[in-house]
Amino acid sequence: QVQLVESGGGLVQSGGSLRLACKASGRISALHAWSWYRQIPGQQRELVASITSGTGTINAESAKGRFSISRDNGKNTVYLQMNSLKPEDTAAYYCNAKIRQTWSDTLKDYWGLGTQVTVSS
């Protein structure tokens, strides 16, 4: 089955940068769209960025101007470049992909297990 695995999280100082990656593997006929979400414990999961084609969109207002999303279709991988990180960016980050496993399937949502990003002051 389809599996999504995030990587690139960790501890970084305020003002630093991280590049998250999420790779999809398994039976994939087509991967139509990617999204990055983040969640702080006890709070609602927040849409951070999304991409279908082109340059994508930063959906989280607080991340605009600092984050960018890109995808490598050949690698079935999405990236989230995070610059000028702030302590308020600290969260578990999850990737989501809309995938068609066969040509006759409908699009389905798949989730990674998340990667922790911690930004220190």
Side-chain angles (χ1 to χ4, degrees), residues 33-36 47-53 55-59 69 80:
W34 289 100
S35 298
W36 283 99
L47 176 63
V48 178
S50 57
I51 187 169
T52 53
S53 63
T55 58
T57 301
I58 304 301
N59 303 94
I69 186 171
L80 183 67

Side-chain angles (χ1 to χ4, degrees), residues 1-115:
Q1 299 296 323
V2 174
Q3 183 180 28
L4 272 58
V5 179
E6 301 100 334
S7 62
L11 176 63
V12 65
Q13 290 184 324
S14 180
S17 298
L18 286 174
R19 190 191 194 196
L20 305 184
C22 178
K23 181 175 178 61
S25 61
R27 180 68 177 92
I28 300 172
S29 179
L31 201 164
H32 288 263
W34 289 100
S35 298
W36 283 99
Y37 290 76
R38 64 186 178 189
Q39 187 170 26
I40 298 171
Q43 299 186 16
Q44 191 83 352
R45 188 168 295 189
E46 175 189 27
L47 176 63
V48 178
S50 57
I51 187 169
T52 53
S53 63
T55 58
T57 301
I58 304 301
N59 303 94
E61 192 70 26
S62 64
K64 291 181 178 178
R66 301 185 297 118
F67 290 10
S68 64
I69 186 171
S70 61
R71 64 185 294 179
D72 186 328
N73 292 336
K75 296 181 179 179
N76 283 330
T77 299
V78 66
Y79 303 93
L80 183 67
Q81 180 67 46
M82 305 185 295
N83 299 323
S84 301
L85 283 163
K86 304 175 180 180
E88 50 262 46
D89 296 316
T90 295
Y93 284 72
Y94 301 85
C95 68
N96 169 275
K98 297 186 183 299
I99 293 173
R100 193 188 310 277
Q101 288 193 264
T102 71
W103 290 113
S104 62
D105 281 345
T106 58
L107 290 173
K108 296 182 176 66
D109 281 309
Y110 294 86
W111 290 89
L113 296 179
T115 184

